[in-house]
Amino acid sequence: MSLAAYCVICCRRIGTSTSPPKSGTHWRDIRNIIKFTGSLILGGSLFLTYEVLALKKAVTLDTQVVEREKMKSYIYVHTVSLDKGENHGIAWQARKELHKAVRKVLATSAKILRNPFADPFSTVDIEDHECAVWLLLRKSKSDDKTTRLEAVREMSETHHWHDYQYRIIAQACDPKTLIGLARSEESDLRFFLLPPPLPSLKEDSSTEEELRQLLASLPQTELDECIQYFTSLALSESSQSLAAQKISTHCDKIEANGGLQLLQRLYRLHKDCPKVQRNIMRVIGNMALNEHLHSSIVRSGWVSIMAEAMKSPHIMESSHAARILANLDRETVQEKYQDGVYVLHPQYRTSQPIKADVLFIHGLMGAAFKTWRQQDSEQAVIEKPMEDEDRYTTCWPKTWLAKDCPALRIISVEYDSSLSDWRARCPMERKSIAFRSNELLRKLRAAGVGDRPVVWISHSMGGLLVKKMLLEASTKPEMSTVINNTRGIIFYSVPHHGSRLAEYSVNIRYLLFPSLEVKELSKDSPALKTLQDDFLEFAKDKNFQVLNFVETLPTYIGSMIKLHVVPVESADLGIGDLIPVDVNHLNICKPKKKDAFLYQRTLQFIREALAKDLEN
């Protein structure tokens, strides 16, 4: 402005001068204007340059910090002030409405420009690399079941995320999603948070003492005599006795008294004792049968523990974990797997349609897993994980049969049995074949057996249970589907006409004290003859496909007696093929290798019996 005024003055002076201007004066005025203008321009430029540099320095950001912040994500929790006055003030209400309006504008503009989210989410607060995480979280909470399952599948198949992204899912997902991830084979264990800290033990107390207090608090009336026996045994002997019980009626009391945390403490203390850990998982699996306890089981951290156990190379450990998670998973599993019922395949969620069931029932002194192991070789005489399961497997139905027939659901059943009452697990236990068959039939029906075509596979006394179960089912209208869907039965050395085992005193341990199971295997047992006659007529009427294997070699029982447990004539049901095999009674159901005749003939029978069902 000063420059403009000075120029105006000079021009007026030149214009109003009456005498002709002198040349020197004219140029002197122009030089003065130039000097002043130049000084002004130079000073202004220097001033602007200084201000720009100062401003740049003030707003310069550490790009490394920015990049690190971009890679973070946060879960925001809405908080409510405890000050009631603050929540009702005019200023607070105005801020609330202003924030709501601004958020709507931002969300609307984001939808117009990018539009990847639905109503509850916008991309305003989320970086591009975070979109997939939050989209999957949203899908996992959809009202549509198919969308939820698809979201869990996508999460489980994702392996390129950073650690913090897995932790976002772990913190923000709901229990259904967490259980689904635990039952997904490809899931990363980073999806699962560590179990919450266990409560401290009471002063002057120990784990064993707290366990005794828990057992003492359980009701002792109107219970099975064996449950009462084992509870009293646990109170008088050791903390490990709890795991041996079949606790299914005490679940609410156990949860209310902190049993889930106490069992978890025991599980950690016995990390070097797989048998104790499996028995603890057995108790948790029984508790998981009660849906109202699912939230407590999830909160206590058992899902994270079972997700890790599912990936164990030991078949028994992974199968116990699979039973727990299947009982917790009400999204994809309608059945309930009660005590002693184990799914060998599929143990994870699968897109493979299951078209039929194959059931394995062990015999006297057998078990759900060890009965069906590969025949022990000189190199593999103990249970251990093997890298090549085609060379040796501790459970051939799970490894070999599941690969050869992936459309099958394979179930193995376990029940207690003994040769003698001298050292029976429960002195009060007197369970006949009729009692056991009724109990197993009820458990198998709860597991959905009968809803699909079925093939039964049994060893020794297990075959008698299968026969009795089918006869029992034929008399009950609610069990009619079990009969209608039975396609075939395989008997491995089943004593249809009795066994010589009951005729011998094996050694002093069994002298004069044969168990009820052994007594019922006597050749002169009226119950056994009635069972054989009734089932033979029934099987012929239903036209069941039957395959019988029988041993030809004697078996060492104890250290003194060499006995042909089931002779050929006793293993002949009267229908179906009867195939003698040069093995003893224990190995009749244990193929030497995958291409052995025993396994290949079994596989052929299953495929032929289920041919029409597997094709559909």
Side-chain angles (χ1 to χ4, degrees):
M1 190 171 182
S2 301
L3 177 63
Y6 182 78
C7 292
V8 170
I9 293 172
C10 292
C11 291
R12 286 182 177 177
R13 187 179 298 173
I14 295 172
T16 55
S17 178
T18 54
S19 61
K22 294 182 180 179
S23 178
T25 304
H26 175 73
W27 286 109
R28 186 171 57 251
D29 293 337
I30 294 176
R31 282 197 303 270
N32 291 336
I33 294 174
I34 292 175
K35 287 180 181 179
F36 183 83
T37 304
S39 300
L40 189 62
I41 293 174
L42 180 61
S45 299
L46 291 174
F47 176 76
L48 290 175
T49 301
Y50 170 78
E51 289 296 328
V52 168
L53 292 175
L55 180 61
K56 181 179 179 181
K57 182 178 181 180
V59 299
T60 296
L61 299 177
D62 186 345
T63 57
Q64 293 183 351
V65 173
V66 174
E67 290 301 318
R68 286 197 297 269
E69 288 298 315
K70 287 173 64 179
M71 297 304 293
K72 292 182 181 178
S73 183
Y74 302 91
I75 299 173
Y76 293 95
V77 179
H78 293 288
T79 58
V80 179
S81 175
L82 298 178
D83 186 356
K84 296 183 179 181
E86 179 182 348
N87 292 341
H88 298 286
I90 297 177
W92 181 84
Q93 293 289 348
R95 286 199 308 270
K96 180 180 177 182
E97 294 301 322
L98 179 60
H99 290 170
K100 186 185 297 185
V102 172
R103 189 171 183 81
K104 285 183 178 180
V105 172
L106 293 175
T108 303
S109 62
K111 288 180 183 178
I112 294 173
L113 296 175
R114 303 169 72 174
N115 196 33
F117 289 108
D119 294 338
F121 290 101
S122 76
T123 56
V124 175
D125 302 316
I126 303 174
E127 298 290 344
D128 289 339
H129 63 275
E130 303 288 2
C131 292
V133 175
W134 293 103
L135 274 175
L136 288 177
L137 274 172
R138 172 172 170 74
K139 287 176 64 177
S140 70
K141 298 179 181 180
S142 170
D143 293 333
D144 180 61
K145 180 179 177 180
T146 303
T147 303
R148 294 197 304 270
L149 297 180
E150 178 67 17
V152 173
R153 185 189 62 79
E154 291 181 19
M155 288 180 189
S156 67
E157 294 176 353
T158 302
H159 303 289
H160 62 274
W161 285 348
H162 299 280
D163 286 351
Y164 76 90
Q165 290 174 301
Y166 289 102
R167 297 306 179 190
I168 290 173
I169 300 292
Q171 295 177 59
C173 70
D174 57 17
K176 291 181 180 179
T177 302
L178 186 67
I179 294 168
L181 288 170
R183 295 197 68 237
S184 300
E185 188 170 9
E186 300 298 324
S187 286
D188 194 298
L189 289 179
R190 288 175 290 180
F191 279 121
F192 307 98
L193 299 174
L194 292 175
L198 296 175
S200 301
L201 292 174
K202 297 177 182 177
E203 188 176 355
D204 298 330
S205 181
S206 64
T207 302
E208 187 174 79
E209 181 60 31
E210 291 202 2
L211 180 60
R212 286 200 179 97
Q213 293 176 7
L214 174 62
L215 289 171
S217 70
L218 301 179
Q220 298 297 312
T221 58
E222 300 180 1
L223 293 178
D224 182 270
E225 289 182 337
C226 283
I227 293 181
Q228 296 183 34
Y229 168 75
F230 281 118
T231 301
S232 62
L233 184 68
L235 289 171
S236 62
E237 291 188 1
S238 71
S239 62
Q240 297 183 21
S241 298
L242 171 66
Q245 301 189 73
K246 301 175 184 176
I247 299 179
S248 57
T249 56
H250 295 154
C251 298
D252 291 343
K253 198 74 174 178
I254 292 174
E255 189 275 330
N257 292 341
L260 288 169
Q261 290 77 18
L262 183 57
L263 288 171
Q264 193 175 128
R265 189 184 300 278
L266 284 171
Y267 186 89
R268 295 180 184 179
L269 287 175
H270 294 90
K271 61 181 179 180
D272 296 325
C273 186
K275 185 175 180 180
V276 172
Q277 287 192 329
R278 289 196 299 268
N279 284 323
I280 291 173
M281 286 192 281
R282 182 178 172 185
V283 176
I284 301 299
N286 290 339
M287 296 183 69
L289 292 168
N290 303 277
E291 294 188 29
H292 66 279
L293 295 179
H294 285 187
S295 59
S296 298
I297 294 173
V298 173
R299 286 197 306 269
S300 62
W302 277 106
V303 173
S304 299
I305 297 173
M306 292 304 100
E308 183 176 1
M310 280 281 283
K311 298 183 182 298
S312 170
H314 295 279
I315 289 176
M316 286 195 286
E317 182 180 357
S318 62
S319 297
H320 277 80
R323 173 177 171 251
I324 294 173
L325 293 173
N327 284 337
L328 290 174
D329 186 7
R330 298 297 92 189
E331 282 275 271
T332 61
V333 181
Q334 303 303 317
E335 305 84 6
K336 291 188 176 181
Y337 299 100
Q338 299 194 21
D339 189 40
V341 180
Y342 301 97
V343 178
L344 303 181
H345 174 80
Q347 293 186 338
Y348 292 100
R349 286 185 178 182
T350 176
S351 58
Q352 168 73 51
I354 303 302
K355 299 180 179 180
D357 291 337
V358 175
L359 309 180
F360 287 82
I361 317 294
H362 68 78
L364 196 63
M365 298 295 291
F369 306 99
K370 72 176 185 180
T371 293
W372 311 106
R373 68 184 183 275
Q374 184 177 348
Q375 184 174 329
D376 295 331
S377 63
E378 295 180 359
Q379 293 79 17
V381 294
I382 59 174
E383 180 186 350
K384 58 182 178 180
M386 302 292 287
E387 293 182 1
D388 186 358
E389 292 178 335
D390 288 336
R391 292 178 55 194
Y392 185 83
T393 174
T394 56
C395 186
W396 61 263
K398 183 181 187 303
T399 53
W400 297 350
L401 184 59
K403 289 180 181 178
D404 290 332
C405 299
L408 299 178
R409 180 178 66 156
I410 303 172
I411 292 178
S412 187
V413 172
E414 183 164 287
Y415 58 92
D416 293 331
S417 63
S418 60
L419 287 175
S420 169
D421 280 343
W422 183 277
R423 289 186 63 187
R425 290 189 175 184
C426 176
M428 285 74 84
E429 190 172 35
R430 297 289 186 273
K431 294 188 176 180
S432 63
I433 289 176
F435 181 91
R436 291 187 188 280
S437 63
N438 187 62
E439 183 181 47
L440 287 179
L441 182 61
R442 175 182 56 80
K443 290 181 177 182
L444 291 174
R445 191 68 192 98
V449 172
D451 296 339
R452 306 183 186 92
V454 183
V455 170
W456 303 78
I457 300 178
S458 59
H459 174 238
S460 190
M461 192 185 78
L464 303 180
L465 291 174
V466 170
K467 291 161 62 176
K468 188 65 176 177
M469 278 191 284
L470 291 175
L471 287 173
E472 287 288 333
S474 67
T475 64
K476 300 177 180 179
E478 67 274 16
M479 297 288 183
S480 60
T481 56
V482 176
I483 303 300
N484 297 335
N485 277 322
T486 294
R487 298 290 188 266
I489 311 170
I490 296 178
F491 295 109
Y492 288 111
S493 284
V494 174
H496 301 292
H497 303 281
S499 170
R500 295 173 182 170
L501 185 64
E503 301 173 12
Y504 290 86
S505 296
V506 177
N507 57 39
I508 194 171
R509 177 181 172 189
Y510 304 121
L511 184 62
L512 302 178
F513 292 98
S515 65
L516 180 59
E517 297 100 318
V518 173
K519 291 177 182 177
E520 288 189 320
L521 297 180
S522 301
K523 288 187 175 182
D524 57 355
S525 170
L528 191 62
K529 187 178 186 307
T530 301
L531 176 61
Q532 166 61 17
D533 294 342
D534 291 348
F535 183 79
L536 182 59
E537 180 181 358
F538 174 69
K540 287 180 178 179
D541 179 62
K542 294 298 182 180
N543 197 27
F544 290 151
Q545 297 184 52
V546 176
L547 177 62
N548 302 280
F549 292 100
V550 61
E551 76 229 36
T552 60
L553 301 180
T555 305
Y556 281 98
I557 308 294
S559 58
M560 300 172 58
I561 299 298
K562 189 177 181 181
L563 179 66
H564 199 161
V565 179
V566 180
V568 175
E569 59 271 17
S570 181
D572 187 2
L573 177 63
I575 57 174
D577 294 338
L578 177 63
I579 303 176
V581 184
D582 292 334
V583 293
N584 62 29
H585 186 70
L586 297 178
N587 289 332
I588 188 65
C589 56
K590 299 176 179 64
K592 285 187 176 181
K593 49 187 177 179
K594 190 174 182 180
D595 58 1
F597 169 78
L598 195 59
Y599 173 72
Q600 291 299 323
R601 185 65 182 89
T602 298
L603 178 62
Q604 178 187 348
F605 178 86
I606 294 172
R607 284 174 169 169
E608 290 175 353
L610 298 172
K612 294 181 180 179
D613 304 297
L614 295 178
E615 288 176 0
N616 296 335

